[in-house]
């Protein structure tokens, strides 16, 4: 706590424009923007609210820094409305007591329903706003943005993919000022820009829709944007065949790259801690239920004839459960590992040789799945 207090006190900042730097100013509130510690400190500060939400009924609360999500489910729209209003008020009160606030102007609402449900969803939701001592009316939207994901009320990801493709084309048009086929950046630098700026935008959150039944249509949208980038890298005409350009630029086809991202995301499940939330959502055999687990966001419908698998389930289906699990915290920072019982040091061959490398020590520590190779050299001096 003392370390965090020292990190958050006596903060200063200055403004810089071109080559001019303004004077230092004190910043008594807030956390440093861009610091990797800011999300961790924010999670620690709001952890009591998350623990409180574990006892809520038919509601799941999710927080990420300054973005929050309240997901409610129920047998009727009236039940969902009442649940959202009650627990929104509870969240509003807790944040106010903690010195934080909610902005009703940035609050969005979206309703989901099953395809066979013909009942009309509510047209508005009234939420309390203690800053004006009244209620605000929130109109549901067919598409909301959360953490950069454009979520549609029918879970159709076409709009999200189109937005990512449009952003990619905008980025490609912007970086054209850096050169052309005659002068400017060479092909290697164009390819570097493509992999650092264009490709992450193009494939952002592809794991969400990777298992969608409309995957071919979504990939076709991304492939069109990728073709523009290949023409920019190679300096070819827009009418040039795409496959040779990908080979020439050493760029994977977009569908192969998406498969690679999905496989890498699936392999990360093997490195999660046993109590991680993704493993809790997967359930057995990935995770053994315990009383301290968070409840799933949607109650399990045992009477439903066919339940569509989530994106997380589709990723987990790629893995063989017989694969070994990796513990990312095999040696915690506050533990002292007993190296003496596992490593033997060879004695130097001659004590009379000055600055002479006598031997290299190769010691391998193998603990099931983890292997660490240590190399040491001995110097013999007078």
């Amino acid at each position: 706590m003392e370390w965090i207090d020292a990190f958050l006190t006596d903060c200063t900042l200055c403004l810089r424009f071109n080559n001019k730097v303004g004077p230092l100013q004190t910043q008594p509130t807030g956390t440093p923007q861009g610091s990797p510690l800011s999300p961790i400190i924010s999670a620690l500060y709001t952890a009591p609210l998350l623990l409180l939400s574990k006892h809520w009924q038919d509601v799941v609360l999710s927080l990420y820094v300054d973005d929050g999500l309240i997901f409610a489910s129920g047998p009727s729209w009236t039940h969902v409305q009442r649940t959202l209003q009650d627990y929104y008020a509870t969240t509003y009160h807790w944040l106010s007591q903690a010195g934080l606030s909610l902005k009703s102007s940035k609050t969005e609402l979206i309703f989901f329903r099953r395809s066979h449900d013909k009942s009309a969803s509510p047209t508005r939701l009234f939420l309390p706003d203690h800053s004006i001592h009244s209620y605000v009316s929130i109109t549901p939207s067919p598409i909301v943005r959360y953490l950069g994901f454009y979520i549609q009320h029918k879970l159709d990801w076409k709009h999200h993919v189109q937005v990512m493709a449009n952003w990619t084309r905008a980025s490609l048009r912007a970086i054209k000022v850096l050169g052309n086929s005659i002068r400017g950046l060479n092909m290697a630098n164009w390819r570097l820009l493509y992999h650092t700026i264009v490709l992450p935008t193009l494939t952002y959150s592809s794991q969400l829709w990777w298992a969608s039944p409309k995957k071919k249509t979504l990939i076709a949208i991304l492939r069109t944007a990728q073709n523009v980038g290949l023409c920019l890298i190679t300096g070819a005409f827009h009418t040039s065949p795409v496959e040779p350009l990908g080979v020439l630029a050493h760029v994977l086809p977009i569908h192969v790259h998406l498969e690679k991202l999905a496989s890498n995301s699936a392999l990360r499940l093997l490195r999660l801690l046993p109590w991680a939330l993704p493993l809790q959502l997967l359930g057995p055999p990935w995770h053994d239920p315990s009383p301290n687990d968070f409840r799933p966001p949607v109650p399990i419908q045992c009477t439903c004839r066919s339940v569509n698998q989530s994106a997380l389930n589709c990723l987990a289906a790629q893995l063989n459960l017989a694969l070994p699990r990796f513990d990312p915290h095999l040696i915690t920072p506050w533990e002292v590992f007993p190296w003496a019982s596992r490593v033997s040091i060879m004695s130097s061959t001659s004590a009379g040789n000055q600055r002479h490398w006598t031997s290299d020590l190769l010691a391998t520590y193998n603990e099931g799945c983890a292997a660490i190779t240590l190399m040491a050299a001995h110097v013999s001096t007078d």
Side-chain angles (χ1 to χ4, degrees):
M1 295 298 297
E2 295 179 358
W3 188 92
I4 295 178
D5 181 70
F7 176 74
L8 296 177
T9 54
D10 299 331
C11 296
T12 58
L13 59 87
C14 63
L15 299 179
R16 178 175 180 178
F17 182 75
N18 292 336
N19 294 327
K20 296 183 179 179
V21 180
L24 287 176
Q25 301 178 2
T26 58
Q27 182 65 25
T29 60
T31 57
Q33 294 294 322
S35 173
L37 291 176
S38 297
I40 300 176
I41 295 176
S42 175
L44 294 175
Y45 191 76
T46 56
L49 178 59
L50 294 174
L51 294 177
L52 178 64
S53 67
K54 292 180 61 176
H55 305 287
W56 296 354
Q57 297 295 328
D58 301 330
V59 175
V60 171
L61 175 66
S62 173
L63 296 175
Y64 183 78
V65 191
D66 59 345
D67 289 328
L69 173 67
I70 300 178
F71 187 91
S73 61
S76 63
W77 291 117
T78 303
H79 177 82
V80 171
Q81 281 185 292
R82 185 172 60 254
T83 303
L84 284 175
Q85 291 172 343
D86 293 342
Y87 289 112
Y88 179 88
T90 303
T91 305
Y92 193 105
H93 177 73
W94 191 96
L95 294 176
S96 300
Q97 294 294 325
L100 304 175
S101 62
L102 287 176
K103 292 185 178 180
S104 58
S105 60
K106 294 185 177 180
T107 303
E108 295 181 290
L109 175 66
I110 186 172
F111 288 115
F112 302 96
R113 63 181 180 183
R114 297 185 182 275
S115 57
H116 57 78
D117 186 4
K118 304 302 180 182
S119 60
S121 59
T123 57
R124 63 177 57 89
L125 180 67
F126 294 97
L127 298 177
D129 190 347
H130 298 288
S131 61
I132 59 177
H133 303 285
S134 182
Y135 287 81
V136 293
S137 177
I138 307 297
T139 304
S141 304
I143 299 175
V144 297
R145 182 186 178 187
Y146 180 68
L147 300 180
F149 311 139
Y150 288 86
I151 306 174
Q152 200 248 7
H153 67 104
K154 293 184 178 180
L155 296 182
D156 186 358
W157 299 101
K158 185 176 181 179
H159 178 79
H160 171 83
V161 174
Q162 287 178 338
V163 171
M164 296 298 108
N166 293 337
W167 285 0
T168 299
R169 294 190 186 94
S171 300
L172 292 172
R173 286 194 296 268
I175 63 178
K176 280 185 179 180
V177 299
L178 299 178
N180 50 36
S181 59
I182 301 176
R183 62 179 63 89
L185 299 181
N186 55 27
M187 184 176 177
N189 290 330
W190 280 120
R191 184 176 178 274
L192 180 62
L193 282 176
Y194 172 82
H195 282 279
T196 55
I197 299 177
V198 177
L199 199 57
T201 304
L202 194 63
T203 59
Y204 181 71
S205 70
S206 61
Q207 294 84 350
L208 290 176
W209 54 264
W210 172 80
S212 171
K214 302 179 180 179
K215 181 170 66 173
K216 292 184 178 180
T217 303
L218 302 179
I219 291 178
I221 299 174
L222 299 183
R223 185 180 291 111
T224 304
Q226 185 192 41
N227 296 344
V228 179
L230 292 177
C231 293
L232 181 62
I233 294 174
T234 58
F237 294 104
H238 293 285
T239 56
S240 303
V242 178
E243 289 77 8
L245 295 182
V247 176
L248 182 63
H250 296 281
V251 173
L252 290 175
I254 190 64
H255 67 280
V256 177
H257 185 73
L258 293 175
E259 292 286 343
K260 185 187 74 170
L261 292 179
S263 300
N264 291 341
S265 300
L267 290 174
R268 290 192 183 99
L269 296 175
L270 300 175
R271 299 184 61 86
L272 295 179
L273 294 173
W275 46 263
L277 184 57
L279 299 184
Q280 294 183 22
L281 295 177
L282 288 174
W286 288 92
H287 173 73
D288 296 328
S290 66
N292 297 325
D293 292 348
F294 280 88
R295 297 186 309 276
V298 179
I300 300 176
Q301 302 290 337
C302 299
T303 60
C304 185
R305 295 182 179 180
S306 60
V307 179
N308 295 328
Q309 286 190 339
S310 64
L312 184 61
N313 291 108
C314 294
L315 291 176
Q318 298 185 78
L319 299 177
N320 186 357
L321 294 177
L323 291 174
R325 304 283 183 90
F326 296 90
D327 188 357
H329 303 292
L330 184 63
I331 306 175
T332 55
W334 54 84
E335 292 181 355
V336 178
F337 193 79
W339 294 109
S341 61
R342 298 178 180 269
V343 178
S344 59
I345 301 178
M346 299 171 57
S347 59
S348 58
T349 55
S350 176
N353 298 332
Q354 297 181 358
R355 299 181 180 276
H356 179 66
W357 299 94
T358 57
S359 62
D360 292 333
L361 172 64
L362 297 178
T364 301
Y365 155 64
N366 197 322
E367 185 75 19
C369 306
I372 302 175
T373 301
L374 302 178
M375 300 182 63
H378 303 276
V379 178
S380 177
T381 58
D382 289 341

